[in-house]
Amino acid sequence: MNLRGMRAIYVFEMSRAGRTLLQSVVAPVLATSLYFIVFGAAIGEHMAVIGGVPYGAFIVPGLIMLSILTQSVSNAAFGIYFPKFTGTVYEILSAPVSPLEIVVGYVGAAATKSVILGLIILATAALFVPLSIAHPLAMLAFLVLTSVAFSLLGFIIGIWANGFEQLQFVPLLVITPLTFLGGTFYSIDMLPPLWRTVTLFNPVVYLISGFRWAFFGLTDVPIAMSLAATAGFLLLCLGVVGWIFRTGYRLKR
Amino acid sequence: MFRPMQPIVSIKNLSKTYASGFQALCGIDLDIRQGEIFALLGPNGAGKTTLIGIVCGIVTATSGSVTVAGHDIVADYRAARALIGLVPQELSTDAFESVWATVSFSRGLFGKPQDPALVERVLRDLSLWEKKDSRIMTLSGGMKRRVLIAKALVHEPRILFLDEPTAGVDVELRQDMWAQVRRLRDAGVTVILTTHYIDEAEQMADRIGVIDRGRLILVEPKAELMRKLGKKQLVLQLHRPLESLPAGLAAHRLELAADGAELTFTYDVQADRTGIAALFDDLARAGIGFKDLRTTQSSLEDIFVSLVRKP
């Protein structure tokens, strides 16, 4: 194992976040605060209590997920795309580091940043609404698993992307709609039966439901299904990353 | 006494066809000797960068094999790559990083423990010490090139690949760079450089390989190459132009040039007898006088052009 090489990539990626603090931490925290002001304080007053949880608190897990999913994907995608774009990836490819070490370095850093971001948003939310966390360990586990899985997805997108537009494509046009429609702001039980069934094909539903369970003990779908979906998605991404390095897809010529 | 050593880089029957169908390399066999400076010479698009890319792990070979100090570059890539430093042709740098950070990063990436004293020495050797805290984006092109060299050297490689190291580099840096390359060679580092500047190869290299359209045309020690293919010419400016060569001079390798005002005599410098004395005797006998003379020696460039123009 080239642990030093892995650490060099990880530290490099983490220090990149330090330079782009405004973009990687301040912006999502501000956006989340705005959601709380609009949906929690302004509109939430007029919303029914869902499953015994005030609306302002109910949306917290979904909002954290919204940020984590988009930030994991963007961050990991950018992390590997940028060296490809500038050409500095030559050094990673010519170094005595294994694909696994490269992935752990890039994806580990992106996931770490997401977890930190999630915790910051959680702390921000606690300023707006009273929060209690029923299963703190499960909450952390979901946070970490989701961050890793979507950072892997971001890594794949970063390797696939041939331009900045493609890089933005998945976070903006796929992740954000799926998260909004995946029960961030409502329980899917509130939907008409047909839409409820359609929504069950949205993988993000399982993530948000599981994460919300960790907070309030409430679920839209059984917790085991949430875990299975998260783990399944993680394995799928791992499989694709493995294939990328075996074939050199868009990394090596 | 000459003792054959195991080659430090051994390339066997290496071919590369890109996804586009373009065949960049075709059955390359090449052994690089330990401690030599090897120049890979060839026109643009000849396959130089592809060859280096394969050895360094950036390009996947279609067929063939490469070993570095006995380590296969695929099966035993860690051991092979740890020995190699690569300075790429493009000025690809992390624009937002400082010089110190990017050079230290390279050392870590290659699995070496951090060594600030060594980083300092490398930066000083390359006149980068003053710039150690500068962001790379603020540096000139020549300075960026130095940064890339520092990154390649900081993990103490035994083999250094320089891909077109002096493209777009000013004279001063070029001199510095050659001094550095000689120091490295003296320290036992094997240097493989690609260039399409012939004078570079002529000045620096111990051996020269000429590559054209994906094929290695020849590999020779430089001196051997110059001797084998290097011919010298003696040009005589005549007092009176000649219509044709007098029969008495037919035995010499002579040509009339400049409308008969010049006689060109081609000879082999290395031969026991160059034939110059005999030529002068015969000229005097034929009554041909000359007012001036000059000699020219074919450069590597002439040799090169004559090689790659062959169909």
Side-chain angles (χ1 to χ4, degrees), chain A residues 1-2 4-5 8-9 12 15 19 82 86-88 90-99 101 251-253, chain B residues 16 18 56-60 77-78 81 86 88 92-94 96-97 105-106 108-113 148 151:
Chain A
M1 282 288 272
N2 180 356
R4 291 197 190 97
I9 296 175
F12 178 91
S15 73
R19 278 199 308 266
F82 200 61
T86 59
T88 53
Y90 84 85
E91 198 180 18
I92 305 287
L93 293 176
S94 65
V97 285
S98 71
E101 288 153 5
L251 263 184
K252 295 190 179 192
R253 291 172 298 137
Chain B
K16 172 66 184 178
Y18 284 109
C56 295
I58 295 165
V59 180
T60 310
Y77 67 93
R78 278 189 208 269
R81 290 183 196 172
L86 167 64
S92 310
T93 53
D94 287 304
F96 303 104
E97 290 286 318
F105 168 78
S106 299
L109 190 63
F110 277 75
K112 294 282 173 76
L148 290 178
K151 281 167 77 70

Side-chain angles (χ1 to χ4, degrees), chain A residues 3-190:
Chain A
L3 289 176
R4 291 197 190 97
M6 197 165 82
R7 196 180 62 197
I9 296 175
Y10 182 86
V11 170
F12 178 91
E13 282 297 295
M14 291 305 284
S15 73
R16 196 165 61 81
R19 278 199 308 266
T20 54
L21 210 57
L22 199 68
Q23 180 198 323
S24 46
V25 175
V26 179
V29 168
L30 180 70
T32 315
S33 303
L34 291 175
Y35 281 121
F36 278 120
I37 292 165
V38 174
F39 291 101
I43 296 175
E45 299 283 305
H46 308 286
M47 297 286 288
V49 168
I50 302 172
V53 180
Y55 185 69
F58 178 84
I59 62 172
V60 171
L63 280 179
I64 294 175
M65 276 288 162
L66 179 66
S67 285
I68 287 185
L69 299 192
T70 48
Q71 286 301 311
S72 296
V73 171
S74 305
N75 215 312
F78 192 81
I80 187 68
Y81 177 75
F82 200 61
K84 261 178 50 186
F85 176 73
T86 59
T88 53
V89 74
Y90 84 85
E91 198 180 18
I92 305 287
L93 293 176
S94 65
V97 285
S98 71
L100 180 69
E101 288 153 5
I102 296 175
V103 171
V104 171
Y106 278 104
V107 172
T112 306
K113 285 184 264 187
S114 287
V115 170
I116 292 172
L117 178 71
L119 295 176
I120 291 175
I121 292 174
L122 184 62
T124 313
L127 298 176
F128 289 89
V129 288
L131 270 179
S132 63
I133 302 168
H135 311 285
L137 280 182
M139 191 278 287
L140 262 180
F142 263 107
L143 193 63
V144 172
L145 269 181
T146 312
S147 297
V148 171
F150 279 76
S151 296
L152 276 170
L153 176 66
F155 187 81
I156 294 165
I157 292 165
I159 286 176
W160 163 78
N162 272 333
F164 283 98
E165 192 173 271
Q166 288 181 339
L167 206 59
Q168 297 293 340
F169 177 83
V170 173
L172 277 178
L173 298 182
V174 180
I175 306 285
T176 305
L178 284 182
T179 317
F180 269 83
L181 299 175
T184 304
F185 297 108
Y186 51 83
S187 164
I188 62 168
D189 289 334
M190 295 157 78

Side-chain angles (χ1 to χ4, degrees), chain B residues 71-83:
Chain B
H71 307 290
D72 184 87
I73 57 157
V74 178
D76 201 4
Y77 67 93
R78 278 189 208 269
R81 290 183 196 172
L83 299 173

Side-chain angles (χ1 to χ4, degrees), chain B residues 154-168:
Chain B
V154 79
H155 69 271
E156 303 161 284
R158 281 177 59 203
I159 306 157
L160 181 68
F161 282 93
L162 295 162
D163 196 359
E164 305 272 350
T166 49

